Amino acid sequence: MATIFSKIIAGEIPSYKVAEDERFFAFLDINPLAKGHTLVVPKREVDYLFDLDDEELAAMQVFAKGVALAIQQAFPCKKVGQAVIGLEVPHAHIHLIPIQRESDMIFSNPKLQLTAEEFQAIAAAIHEQWAKNR
Ligand code: AMP
């Protein structure tokens, strides 16, 4: 059975898309720790990030680098933090989170409540920067 992220990639479930190429897809986390919290996933359905082969893992990290740059341009922050958890959705993904301090990366922090319009505007702002940088 396809994962929820495969359904998002296929457009069967809506998402706030940030970036896409032939092999990878980036969209906003629906329970964001900060404005701009983004997930980067491989289109190929693999549960555990470290089960990706070396070349695909490296390419995914390079794709995530471009998304992180665009996040920081759209939402100025000290750094874009990266985390891998993957206990909830069995489809490898990297979290990219704009942070000012270490505690901004704590996943048990309260999540932001954003409207659909806010999510759309955030995704559009990041996408615009990402497209410009290509
Ligand atoms: P984890 O697998 O522990 O890294 O957590 C999965 C992440 O995916 C969580 O931060 C969820 O908020 C996020 N998530 C789950 N379903 C969706 C969805 N349909 N759209 C966007 N983000 C999602």
Side-chain angles (χ1 to χ4, degrees), residues 4-5 8 13-15 27-32 37 39 84-90 93 95 107 111:
I4 186 162
F5 289 171
I8 283 175
I13 291 179
S15 72
F27 58 103
L28 297 182
D29 193 304
I30 206 71
N31 299 302
H37 181 168
L39 301 176
V84 173
I85 303 185
L87 292 175
E88 193 186 307
V89 178
H93 51 282
H95 292 260
F107 275 77
K111 307 302 187 297

Side-chain angles (χ1 to χ4, degrees), residues 20-25 43-44 63 134:
E20 178 177 17
D21 72 5
E22 303 73 35
R23 291 198 287 171
F24 306 105
F25 195 93
K43 291 185 175 177
R44 194 165 77 86
F63 181 82
R134 285 196 103 190

Side-chain angles (χ1 to χ4, degrees), residues 26-76:
F27 58 103
L28 297 182
D29 193 304
I30 206 71
N31 299 302
L33 282 166
K35 282 189 180 180
H37 181 168
T38 297
L39 301 176
V40 173
V41 302
K43 291 185 175 177
R44 194 165 77 86
E45 205 174 272
V46 173
D47 174 358
Y48 186 39
L49 187 79
F50 300 121
D51 281 336
L52 291 170
D53 64 50
D54 291 357
E55 192 279 330
E56 192 174 15
L57 180 60
M60 181 169 166
Q61 188 64 74
V62 172
F63 181 82
K65 176 182 173 181
V67 176
L69 174 66
I71 291 171
Q72 193 161 18
Q73 289 167 326
F75 294 94

